[in-house]
Amino acid sequence: MKIIYATLLIVVALNVSENEDRGKIYYTNGQKFYSQKKYTEAIQQYRKAVDLIPNNAEIYYRIGMSYKHLEDYDLAIKEYRKAIELEPDYKLAHYYLAMVYLKKGNKKDAYYELDQSRYIYSFLSSISSLIIALVIFFVLIGAIYLIKKIRNI
């Protein structure tokens, strides 16, 4: 029974890996069409990718971007929201969702999404500053330690 279970797990893992690999190929094809401004074709490829990799916020974001360029704002909103649902801190999805809301004349939701994207950026900037300060702190501690060690020699 354990052998059957282990074999089943391996088969499932291989299938998931194969699906992700195929999904990445569709995603790459979507990117090629997108860069050529062939947004309908890009959406078709991204849809195939998202069928294989359903929890990837980037793919939904890219579908939203394609719909934005096609000026299908309702579908763009739907895709940006899905990207944000999967990855709430996705600042570009918040930003472009705000831009689409502005295009539709929905200033209230646009301002909210802009605020979200600004908040996320501010938060990430604060974390970056904190990390830099910690690195400097530990470099100084290391320098003090070395100076004390040299003086004792």
Side-chain angles (χ1 to χ4, degrees):
M1 186 64 145
K2 288 182 182 179
I3 293 174
I4 293 172
Y5 182 70
T7 304
L8 183 60
L9 283 177
I10 291 171
V11 168
V12 168
L14 289 174
N15 190 36
V16 167
S17 177
E18 183 180 314
N19 281 349
E20 281 193 25
D21 290 344
R22 286 189 9 237
K24 288 176 185 175
I25 291 169
Y26 287 125
Y27 175 79
T28 301
N29 289 339
Q31 291 292 83
K32 289 176 187 172
F33 283 121
Y34 184 89
S35 69
Q36 297 167 0
K37 300 183 184 201
K38 296 179 180 179
Y39 302 116
T40 302
E41 292 86 348
I43 291 168
Q44 292 169 349
Q45 293 298 304
Y46 292 142
R47 287 274 178 229
K48 290 178 182 178
V50 89
D51 286 343
L52 297 168
I53 315 170
N55 293 322
N56 188 313
E58 172 73 14
I59 300 171
Y60 289 101
Y61 165 75
R62 291 293 174 180
I63 296 170
M65 291 298 290
S66 298
Y67 280 126
K68 180 182 80 66
H69 286 294
L70 293 172
E71 298 182 359
D72 191 335
Y73 300 128
D74 291 330
L75 288 176
I77 288 169
K78 178 183 170 214
E79 300 303 329
Y80 290 138
R81 284 183 179 162
K82 181 64 178 177
I84 292 167
E85 176 187 320
L86 292 171
E87 197 175 313
D89 292 341
Y90 202 148
K91 69 179 179 181
L92 282 175
H94 282 285
Y95 176 79
Y96 282 105
L97 179 55
M99 296 299 104
V100 170
Y101 279 139
L102 281 176
K103 287 274 189 186
K104 290 184 57 96
N106 184 343
K107 292 179 182 176
K108 179 184 172 199
D109 288 336
Y111 291 140
Y112 173 79
E113 293 301 331
L114 277 174
D115 208 35
Q116 291 300 304
S117 94
R118 196 173 0 181
Y119 167 76
I120 292 164
Y121 179 77
S122 172
F123 176 73
L124 293 176
S125 295
S126 297
I127 289 175
S128 298
S129 298
L130 178 63
I131 290 171
I132 291 169
L134 285 172
V135 167
I136 292 170
F137 173 75
F138 285 113
V139 166
L140 289 173
I141 294 294
I144 291 169
Y145 174 79
L146 287 174
I147 290 170
K148 284 183 177 182
K149 192 164 183 138
I150 291 171
R151 285 186 180 170
N152 288 337
I153 294 179

